[in-house]
Amino acid sequence: QVQLVESGGALVQPGGSLRLSCAASGSIFSIFSMGWDRQAPGKERELVARITNGGSTNYADSVKGRFTISRDNAKSTVYLQMNSLKPEDTAVYYCNALLISPRRTAWGQGTQVTVSS
C-alpha cells in the first residue's frame, strides 16, 4: 500500500555532503515512522536514522553529529542530510517506513552512496 522511492545517491569525496530523499506514496496515513538503513559491502544492513510521527529521532552512533534526518509537513517525504562524509559511509542506503494497523514495513529499492577520493 505504500511505495518508497529514494534518490540522491552519488559519488562524493571524503568530507563532502550529500542529501538523500525518499518520497512515500499510497497509504501514507498509516506511517508511524520513517528512516534510513544502509548496507555496506560484505556487511549486514544497519539502521542509520529514524524519525517518528512525534518528531523523535534516532541515529546510529557512527553518524551522530554528521547526519540529520528530517521530513516534510505532510510526512510523506524524508530526507537524510549527510555531512562530513567518510569512506566508511559507503553503502547502499535504503529508505523504510514502519506502518501500523497492521504493523508492517515498506522498503525502497536503495540508492548507492560512495565516498572516495
Side-chain angles (χ1 to χ4, degrees):
Q1 300 290 349
V2 171
Q3 297 79 44
L4 304 174
V5 180
E6 305 105 325
S7 62
L11 171 65
V12 63
Q13 294 185 341
S17 297
L18 201 61
R19 190 180 74 160
L20 306 183
S21 300
C22 177
S25 61
S27 302
I28 59 175
F29 60 89
S30 296
I31 297 176
F32 176 77
S33 66
M34 296 184 69
W36 294 89
D37 289 14
R38 68 185 181 187
Q39 187 167 19
K43 303 294 179 61
E44 295 289 328
R45 189 175 299 189
E46 64 176 351
L47 183 148
V48 175
R50 183 169 300 281
I51 185 167
T52 70
N53 287 344
S56 178
T57 58
N58 188 57
Y59 298 92
D61 288 341
S62 60
V63 307
K64 286 181 179 178
R66 300 188 298 119
F67 291 11
T68 303
I69 188 170
S70 61
R71 64 189 180 191
D72 67 11
N73 292 335
K75 302 179 181 180
S76 61
T77 303
V78 294
Y79 305 92
L80 185 67
Q81 179 66 46
M82 304 183 293
N83 299 325
S84 302
L85 284 162
K86 305 175 180 179
E88 51 262 45
D89 294 319
T90 295
V92 177
Y93 285 70
Y94 297 90
C95 180
N96 61 84
L98 177 62
L99 314 177
I100 58 174
S101 301
R103 185 183 186 280
R104 58 202 185 277
T105 303
W107 293 90
Q109 293 299 306
T111 185
Q112 176 71 49
V113 173
T114 302
V115 184
S116 177
S117 59

